[in-house]
Amino acid sequence: MKLTRLRSLALAALLSAPALAVQSLAAQTLDPKTLTLFHQPADVWPTYHGDYSGRRFSEITQINQKNIAQLKTKWKYKITGIPPLRGSGPLVIKSTPLMVDGVLYFTIPDHVFAVDARTGKEKWRFDFEDHGGHVLGQRGVGMYGKWIYFLTPDGWFISLDSATGKERWRKKVADEKLQYFTTMAAVIVKNHVIIGIGGDAMDVRGYLESRDPETGELQWQWWAEPLKMGDPGSETWPNQAAMDHGGGMTWLPGTYDPELNLIYWGTGNTNPVFAGQGRKGANLYTDSIVALNPDTGKLAWYFQASPHDTHDWDNVETPVLFDMEIDGKPRKLLAQAARCGYFFVLDRTNGKYLVSKPFTKTANWAKGIDERGQPIPDPGKEPHVDGSMVDIATGGATNWPPPSYSPQTQLFYVNASEGYSVAYLYDTSSDPQGYGGGSSGWFDPASSLIALDVKTGDVKWKHTAKGLGGEGGMSGGILTTGGGLLFTGDSRRLAAFDSANGKILWSEKLDSSMSNGPSTWVLDGKQNVIVGAGDTLYALTLDGK
Amino acid sequence: MRRVMLLCGGLAVAAAAAWIGESVSSPRAEVHAAQAAPAATPEMLAKIAEGSSQFQQKCSFCHGRDAGGGETGPDLTRSKLVLEDVNGNKIGEVVRTGRAGKMPPFDLSSAEMDAIAAFIHAQQAKAKAEGGRRGVNVEDLQTGNVAEGKAYFEGAGTCAKCHSATGDLAHIATKYQGLQLEQHMLYPRDAKSKATVTLPSGQVVSGTVQLHDEFFLGIVLADGTYRSWPVDKIKYTIDAPHEAHAKLFPHYTDADIHNLMAYLQTLR
């Protein structure tokens, strides 16, 4: 109803004002119908992942295996007039731009950009001055009707007018003095703006919260640990204090199944990070995939990827939703390639596992899996004073850049780090705090694009980048398309692979390594591929037209 | 210390209030600093408090909020450079110029720089006073058995195929100690690979690999000239000395690593 009213206002303005002024002020409005689990309309990219599934698969076929050689840069938008950000140096676009009514909305920490999708010309820019918090990344904005939602390093939740970039209101959602910070692209589900937070420098609790899109007021909060002893899950903690300092940040956008009315979210590593002796037990619900009701924030089910984590294996990687027939029965599934090195495929109605298998080396930190498919940590491979060698690199087997699932190939794709590291325990006291240890090394390093069979967890194909360090290696997230293509970054180039077999079909040099998840949409009958690399956003089309 | 302000995880507001009241400017650190450094004055304490605030904003994500190491940055309370620093002369240089590929440069006023240096020194003094374990010490990596390490070196580890305790590894434990030695032992990251390239003309050239990815190979020839080719235009082989080390990883037990370390540490 509100949308209709806004449109008629825009129409009134069109009739009464000079055309030019109207063009610059007309509100871009997101039609809620474009928010789908699968099959979003081709002329819009309405959320961080494009649709609610997190598959990052587009059905568009205009650019395909036959004509990929003609793909050319149509325009570049380079960020200018913003100095390097404190603490993180050069400007890096990690956000996936939304595209609504011909306008792209994307971010870096402290800044929102609205750029004409046809020309790459800036429409408006919103500049924010933070007072603390961490500026290491910003994943993008959320949109509801004509309103844009943006999160700042110091925990402000800001609503902007999509037509002008003018601020509507701001609400504080995280306290930077507790070392919380916000980097997420807010996820809009019905009339809920869902916000996660980061910050594990101070042993605080993770939480996820829902806010009203009109007023910004809090609707619900879900905490990553049980609130008090006796609550379900508290039996996995030794005491209240350990639970209150347990971490479990929610810093990447989750996914949503409208039919089941469940949101799916990854929770971050447990705190203290490497020293686990003061928090004996599995430490729920850190390092888990959780399914929550978006109207109430109530937990429906959980699956813990790294019980009693002592390796900093933040389990926030995208829980990707897809449907598939297995043994003749249609199944609603969820897959995650986790930082702990395991690939999980779960039934998303109840969290029961179908696949739980290492996807890089052997994931030797675990002794195997339990009856629920959850890895069983090996105490012998916890960090030790004299070191404990783990066959996963420091930083994990994968990280935040978005993976992809293609229903065409039925393969799940992830950019992975392969290698070995040694985990050391520093703090041997009975009540350690903070990091309490560390991981050293990325020994025998390899950077690989891995295609996983979702029925078995087997590696179908793997492309290992030859170059590493500096400009080498795989970079950014992954997009697959109906044209049989997979787009990702490889050795400072944007590369298109054959999604069936991993063969490189085309590549083009970028000014720096690809730094975000690629996206695609059709405008004026032309398919565009959009990628961010460092401080520059690129639009590519066939023949650059 | 970290726990002091975290009274109630469920109520961020209450916790925040406690945090601001307790230690946003690390009063305990100041007290310790005052004890450790008798010259501490109210002005010095104010400077440390200001430094703490600056540090939390600019440095803590990588170096931890207490400078004890964090997400990506080393523990500054154990840093040799911090030990040698006087009033920010060495810290300031690193902060202003950054470290290539590791740390961005920061543009700070000299007052801000002074305050941050004062805070880091206070944290170092505090860490020393508390005696808490904050990293890997040389003695931590001496838990292994020297004789078994020697046997592994000469036998199952196949180390002796390329190395000699009296040749290239003589005095290795004098050159490197502790964690540094262990990292060199596990994976000689800086060892240069050699490439032998056959050009379309049939000419064969060889040199040190400078660039190698899906698309290009670039090498430095013996005379210092750099040459590169698209990989699909040439034939080439690469000899990488770290590959023999990489092959050991799937076979190592932690005991093998500890024993080998114990043995290498006898090569002084």
Side-chain angles (χ1 to χ4, degrees), chain A residues 60-131:
Chain A
I60 307 171
T61 57
Q62 189 180 99
I63 300 167
N64 55 51
Q65 292 191 1
K66 290 204 175 72
N67 60 21
I68 184 69
Q70 298 156 34
L71 194 63
K72 285 193 179 64
T73 300
K74 183 185 177 192
W75 55 252
K76 284 192 208 179
Y77 171 85
K78 187 178 160 71
I79 299 170
T80 53
I82 297 175
L85 300 173
R86 63 173 171 81
S88 71
L91 309 181
V92 178
I93 299 169
K94 295 182 179 177
S95 68
T96 303
L98 306 195
M99 200 287 281
V100 176
D101 286 352
V103 179
L104 288 160
Y105 302 95
F106 64 99
T107 64
I108 58 171
D110 290 328
H111 303 277
V112 185
F113 306 83
V115 165
D116 187 318
R118 292 178 172 85
T119 61
K121 297 275 180 284
E122 187 176 298
K123 198 166 170 271
W124 54 255
R125 192 173 101 193
F126 174 79
D127 300 320
F128 178 80
E129 192 182 338
D130 67 60
H131 297 276

Side-chain angles (χ1 to χ4, degrees), chain A residues 73 471 491-494 507-512 538, chain B residues 216:
Chain A
T73 300
E471 297 168 3
S491 307
R492 205 170 170 174
R493 300 173 82 91
L494 169 65
S507 75
E508 179 156 299
K509 192 152 177 23
L510 303 169
D511 295 334
S512 45
Y538 295 71
Chain B
F216 292 96

Side-chain angles (χ1 to χ4, degrees), chain A residues 318-340:
Chain A
T318 312
V320 178
L321 313 185
F322 61 98
D323 292 349
M324 166 186 265
E325 246 184 40
I326 290 182
D327 298 332
K329 288 192 196 114
R331 300 289 298 267
K332 292 174 187 293
L333 303 175
L334 174 156
Q336 183 198 43
R339 188 149 148 182
C340 69

